[in-house]
Amino acid sequence: MISRFVRAAIAVAALSTTASAQFSSDFPGVPRGAISSRGGTQARTEWTFTGNKIPGATAAGDSAGGGIRVGIGRSYRIADQFELGYDFTLLDVNVQMPPTAPAGAPKSSTYLRGNAAYAFKIGAKMRPYSSIDQDGNGIEASFGVAYQPTLQTLYGYATNGDSSHTGGQFASTTTGTSPALYKGNPFASVRSTLVLAGMGSYRSKRFNADAAITNETVGSAGSSADPSPVTSYNGLALRLGGTYRLTRGFAVGASYWGSGAPPWRDDIRVDVAGKSKATNYALLLQFGAEAEGGTDLMVSSPTGNFGQSIRIYLRTRTTR
């Protein structure tokens, strides 16, 4: 038994030297202490929709915009106490419409930007403590390490007026004379990030809760002249999530990620006039009767003002 444990630990450590795991979760933004008890895997598909309408000067009118991001992930249970997993952003598209120009003033153009296939994360988690019944109710605790390597988007495209910019892993071209709305290279590499986490989970028939402390360390890739297109998160963060099941297939709750990365950590930044700090919490609705599976729906604000902007995060979780 001890030798099996040692071999498994060595295997996990070897994987973690180059890449470590994105953690499975039941509450968006909060890694869970539990590992899958059904079928050995948790698959995730996530969609993030954003919209904003930022008030401008009376003569200039309002600026409106929005975006969509699509990501996938999966975590695998290894033996009894380990978990390996990954998460990957497939697509991120943003559009920003300019304010109405005053009479006689030159009109601005709509800005469109999209990135495909970037922000890949893999790694491991270990669960040293578990006290649960056959239905999965009880307490579990685990620790893990997550790593996101420096990775440039596979393909990116941006356009504003008569100008366009393509870039990514294979080529970079720029045409036209319209001013860009981005700073530096809009397809610069995502910065590498190392995350260490301690996690705990509590499950009962009606109430579920997760808590985690994460420490995120950002790599040195990128610069002020050529910044990463994705917001970087650095330092300690407390994360909390919980739901209360009202019916067999419906639960209400909330998710909180403090100063750490939100569930949509890899969405492309959009510089919006008047933008302030985004909310670090969200109302959570969960649909589905399957333990460890279901659909998560969260609502938050990218600017901290629900009257100006809204973000809808939709995720499905399945176990096999």
Side-chain angles (χ1 to χ4, degrees), residues 10-301:
I10 292 174
V12 170
L15 285 170
S16 300
T17 57
T18 56
S20 315
Q22 207 44 19
F23 311 121
S24 62
S25 67
D26 292 329
F27 307 112
V30 185
R32 64 180 187 175
I35 62 176
S36 179
S37 60
R38 290 186 173 189
T41 68
Q42 182 195 60
R44 303 175 289 276
T45 302
E46 57 183 19
W47 299 72
T48 308
F49 306 91
T50 57
N52 61 70
K53 184 177 183 181
I54 307 300
T58 303
D62 297 337
S63 173
I68 182 174
R69 175 183 167 271
V70 184
I72 60 172
R74 184 182 291 269
S75 295
Y76 300 87
R77 179 170 177 164
I78 307 298
D80 292 330
Q81 309 298 341
F82 295 94
E83 179 182 275
L84 303 179
Y86 70 88
D87 275 283
F88 187 50
T89 297
L90 295 177
L91 179 69
D92 192 310
V93 178
N94 293 293
V95 60
Q96 185 174 338
M97 293 175 285
T100 303
K107 295 182 179 180
S108 299
S109 303
T110 296
Y111 175 63
L112 174 68
R113 172 175 165 177
N115 281 15
Y118 69 97
F120 182 63
K121 303 166 286 288
I122 54 177
K125 178 170 74 176
M126 177 182 176
R127 181 187 65 176
Y129 177 78
S130 174
S131 177
I132 57 175
D133 60 24
Q134 60 182 0
D135 296 320
N137 295 323
I139 299 175
E140 297 174 80
S142 63
F143 60 88
V145 57
Y147 181 71
Q148 175 174 298
T150 298
L151 181 66
Q152 189 174 27
T153 184
L154 181 66
Y155 178 79
Y157 176 80
T159 180
N160 179 38
D162 68 345
S163 295
S164 66
H165 187 167
T166 60
Q169 294 283 357
F170 306 108
S172 179
T173 61
T174 302
T175 62
T177 59
S178 296
L181 296 185
Y182 50 80
K183 299 176 181 178
N185 178 7
F187 316 118
S189 299
V190 174
R191 293 191 184 191
S192 63
T193 304
L194 178 68
V195 181
L196 303 176
M199 301 154 278
S201 295
Y202 172 76
R203 298 289 181 267
S204 66
K205 184 177 180 181
R206 288 279 187 179
F207 179 70
N208 294 335
D210 284 337
I213 296 178
T214 60
N215 184 48
E216 303 176 58
T217 305
V218 180
S220 59
S223 65
S224 58
D226 193 21
S228 170
V230 172
T231 301
S232 297
Y233 298 89
N234 199 12
L236 284 171
L238 172 66
R239 301 167 181 267
L240 302 170
T243 55
Y244 182 79
R245 189 169 292 277
L246 299 177
T247 68
R248 185 171 180 270
F250 178 66
V252 297
S255 187
Y256 170 80
W257 48 89
S259 59
W264 46 84
R265 69 170 298 147
D266 297 316
D267 64 348
I268 300 299
R269 288 196 310 268
V270 178
D271 293 327
V272 178
K275 183 175 180 179
S276 57
K277 186 177 180 180
T279 56
N280 55 6
Y281 61 89
L283 174 68
L284 172 62
L285 303 178
Q286 289 188 333
F287 304 88
E290 179 186 11
E292 301 181 9
T295 299
D296 306 318
L297 175 64
M298 290 202 318
V299 179
S300 65
S301 172

